[in-house]
Amino acid sequence: MRSARRCGTDAATALLNEGLVSEECFYRVLARHLGTRFLAEGFALGEDLRYPDCLVVGAAPLGRGECHRIVAAPRGRAVARLIAAAGRLDAPPAITTPTALRLAVFARNGDEIARDAAESLQRRHPAWSCRPGLQAIDLALIALALALLTLLIRLPTLTSLVLLALVQVLMIALLTFRLAAVAMSAAPKVARPGLPDDALPTYTILVALHREARVIPRLVYSLGRLDYPAAKLDIKFLLEAGDHETAAALRAVPLPPRFEIVTVPEGLPRTKPRALCAALALARGDLLVVYDAEDVIEPDQLRVAAAVFAASAPSVACLQGRLVIDNHGDGWLPRLFAIEYAALFDVLGPALAAWRMPTPLGGTSTHFRTDVLRRLHGWDPWNVTEDADLGLRLALAGYHVGDLPSSTFEEAPKRLGAWLRQRTRWMKGFLQTSATHGRFPLATYRRLGPAESLCALALLPGTVVSALFYPFMLVGGLAELMLDEGGGGVLRYLTRAGAWTIFLGGLAAIWLPGIVGCLRRGWHDLLPLVALLPAYYLLVSLAAWLAVFELARHPHRWNKTEHGLARHSRSGALAGRWGAGLRSASPAPPPSPVPAGSG
């Protein structure tokens, strides 16, 4: 009761979420107190089942042949209301646990839940869905148009020079965003007044898992050490049907009821955004955050996010945390990846938030107002970079993405093959998002505005197109600049000056954000490696070309990134420590990796 009063919640939630009693024990005793029957797993529900309303209210009709008409699994203050009303009921409902009720609902309505998760966005707002997407013929026509444009620019005519000048102006405008972000000073880390526990909102945490048994101990430890009232946490691990290895790893860890394991019904596409969409209807929090399986989160991140949301206008519907690569010791590729992330999340991201520009989200450590997320129909299950797509949809709906000055540490792929598969998926998703919201360019322009449209053009299709042509611009452009003999009039001199501006500006846009990002992170040892970024972006170009071919052949295939392979990182150290702890605990029950007193 003291804990409940401090947190501004009810005693039942505090009792369960803090792990002081098991869920089954609590609801068995509740049934005994009410003088009714307790139903364990395996009971059948009736046909008149409204999803997700039945799980929201915690009650559902039972099937024929059952002694009771209704089975209830009340949560929170509904427990006290049911106890108070028990004397006035002719026949109290049967009682079960919320987990058993959810399993029964999913067993009864699994196909409908899977279909809704996959098709809800397309059905309710088809203009925002990436289906049917670009076909092979569309890609061929786009390639032909770009080839004709390139050929036309190369012709020695006045029209070609004018066209070249217009293209150069557009490219310089696109470079301006990255260079202007460097010019912005780092926002001081203002100590925001933290909200008292009783004013904190309930927070839902979604973690989509697929073949992630290796990182389960570290993940549970990281979530368990969050500095947030346990009674106000709603943590959901989302599993794919058939992923028995990850399910077994989770069963090996004793979890209090604030941790919930949700197996997403079988269906297509088998992607992270489909799993997130299936869980969105179950979210109990006013705020919601998505994390990846390998994340190590700063313990106060949820408190900081809640305070930023409380101090922000309602139009700030999302906060993007700072993603940090921390396995620098695993080779040159993770080091360059770390520099790239520092440029994106410590330099460009905060600048876009300050300018209120469209922001492609990072996929993890993204915090939302849950009601806004539902109004936008969640994520696009068929888009393989659902985060970038959702960031643009937020802007189209009139919302903004804010900066969250809190770090989430991630593991970068250390092998080139894994890195290429991951980056190919990102580039393919950028193309999907560009095609989706480019179907009606004038409508998109009117919704966003001129500066915002230019920013979206630079960050999504501009990223892919510049990566595709980067090797040719780097080598061919430099050769042309060095071998040019001059002459040709004023326009020719202007286009030559534009070429030099783009070449030097492009190098500056590659180097300067990396330098500033390293300085803001205090990574002085990585500064010499910034010089290798032009070579690193040749790999990005390779991934962009692979993305084009994959988009034509397998538009919705999700290239899975393996986690838990790092050897020189904070994440790797935690995984080794807790994995060893769990293994040494056998055959006795393993010690909970949730730190004592967490929350």
Side-chain angles (χ1 to χ4, degrees), residues 444-514:
T444 300
Y445 175 82
R446 284 194 294 267
R447 279 181 172 271
L448 292 180
E452 292 83 355
S453 298
L454 187 62
C455 180
L457 188 67
L459 297 176
L460 290 168
T463 296
V464 182
V465 172
S466 61
L468 290 172
F469 289 96
Y470 172 72
F472 310 105
M473 291 189 295
L474 183 67
V475 177
L478 183 60
E480 182 177 348
L481 289 171
M482 299 303 293
L483 300 175
D484 188 33
E485 298 178 358
V490 174
L491 189 58
R492 180 60 180 165
Y493 281 116
L494 289 176
T495 54
R496 192 179 304 122
W500 274 108
T501 302
I502 292 169
F503 181 77
L504 297 176
L507 290 178
I510 290 174
W511 280 328
L512 291 180

Side-chain angles (χ1 to χ4, degrees), residues 185-396:
S185 59
K189 200 164 185 178
V190 180
R192 297 178 182 272
L195 298 175
D197 285 2
D198 60 352
L200 288 170
T202 301
Y203 229 116
T204 292
I205 298 174
L206 300 182
V207 187
L209 303 171
H210 184 49
R211 303 199 309 268
E212 300 286 9
R214 185 185 284 110
V215 298
I216 291 301
R218 178 187 67 215
L219 172 64
V220 175
Y221 175 79
S222 181
L223 295 175
R225 65 198 281 267
L226 290 174
D227 177 21
Y228 206 82
K232 291 188 170 181
L233 284 176
D234 168 34
I235 303 172
K236 300 187 189 300
F237 297 129
L238 314 178
L239 300 184
E240 291 289 343
D243 188 2
H244 304 298
E245 185 181 2
T246 306
L250 283 170
R251 285 196 300 269
V253 182
L255 297 172
R258 69 178 182 271
F259 292 86
E260 186 177 357
I261 301 169
V262 178
T263 301
V264 180
E266 187 75 44
L268 293 176
R270 184 170 287 188
T271 60
K272 172 184 173 182
R274 186 184 78 100
L276 295 175
C277 285
L280 181 57
L282 310 178
R284 299 193 298 275
D286 300 305
L287 301 178
L288 180 149
V289 61
V290 176
Y291 289 125
D292 279 345
E294 82 276 21
D295 289 347
V296 175
I297 308 142
E298 286 193 339
D300 66 344
Q301 185 171 116
L302 299 189
R303 283 187 180 270
V304 174
V308 173
F309 272 124
S312 301
S315 61
V316 178
C318 175
L319 300 176
Q320 174 63 65
R322 309 280 182 86
L323 306 186
V324 184
I325 299 299
D326 68 339
N327 57 325
H328 304 170
D330 282 343
W332 62 270
L333 193 57
R335 291 190 187 102
L336 292 172
F337 202 151
I339 296 171
E340 182 187 20
Y341 257 36
L344 288 175
F345 292 101
D346 289 309
V347 180
L348 184 59
L352 294 174
W355 298 331
R356 296 198 161 196
M357 290 291 171
T359 303
L361 300 176
T364 181
S365 198
T366 46
H367 300 250
F368 301 94
R369 300 187 195 269
T370 309
D371 59 338
V372 174
L373 194 54
R374 285 180 173 141
R375 283 200 293 272
L376 295 181
H377 314 298
W379 299 263
D380 187 345
W382 300 89
N383 192 313
V384 296
T385 51
E386 80 294 337
D387 39 12
D389 171 72
L390 185 53
L392 186 52
R393 282 199 280 130
L394 283 166
L396 288 167

Side-chain angles (χ1 to χ4, degrees), residues 554-576:
H554 307 289
H556 306 295
R557 184 171 67 186
W558 185 280
N559 294 331
K560 175 76 175 69
T561 303
E562 280 194 85
H563 300 130
L565 303 177
R567 291 293 176 265
H568 300 87
S569 67
R570 174 196 288 192
S571 306
L574 285 175

Side-chain angles (χ1 to χ4, degrees), residues 74-269:
R75 292 181 184 268
R77 291 183 170 86
V79 174
R81 290 196 296 269
L82 180 59
I83 292 173
R88 302 191 300 272
L89 297 175
D90 295 334
I95 296 297
T96 189
T97 65
T99 298
L101 179 61
R102 176 177 49 77
L103 290 173
V105 170
F106 274 48
R108 183 74 178 77
N109 279 32
D111 292 342
E112 178 187 336
I113 293 168
R115 187 165 52 250
D116 188 67
E119 300 174 2
S120 176
L121 178 63
Q122 186 179 13
R123 186 173 63 250
R124 298 176 184 175
H125 204 308
W128 283 354
S129 172
C130 77
R131 298 189 79 189
L134 290 171
Q135 306 301 309
I137 185 64
D138 301 317
L139 291 172
L141 290 174
I142 293 171
L144 179 61
L146 289 175
L148 289 175
L149 176 64
T150 304
L151 178 62
L152 185 58
I153 288 175
R154 301 294 298 175
L155 293 176
T157 65
L158 180 61
T159 302
S160 300
L161 288 175
V162 171
L163 186 58
L164 176 60
L166 292 175
V167 171
Q168 289 178 342
V169 169
L170 178 61
M171 293 182 68
I172 291 170
L174 299 181
L175 288 174
T176 301
F177 283 102
R178 290 180 66 89
L179 295 175
V182 171
M184 289 189 65
S185 59
K189 200 164 185 178
V190 180
R192 297 178 182 272
L195 298 175
D197 285 2
D198 60 352
L200 288 170
T202 301
Y203 229 116
T204 292
I205 298 174
L206 300 182
V207 187
L209 303 171
H210 184 49
R211 303 199 309 268
E212 300 286 9
R214 185 185 284 110
V215 298
I216 291 301
R218 178 187 67 215
L219 172 64
V220 175
Y221 175 79
S222 181
L223 295 175
R225 65 198 281 267
L226 290 174
D227 177 21
Y228 206 82
K232 291 188 170 181
L233 284 176
D234 168 34
I235 303 172
K236 300 187 189 300
F237 297 129
L238 314 178
L239 300 184
E240 291 289 343
D243 188 2
H244 304 298
E245 185 181 2
T246 306
L250 283 170
R251 285 196 300 269
V253 182
L255 297 172
R258 69 178 182 271
F259 292 86
E260 186 177 357
I261 301 169
V262 178
T263 301
V264 180
E266 187 75 44
L268 293 176

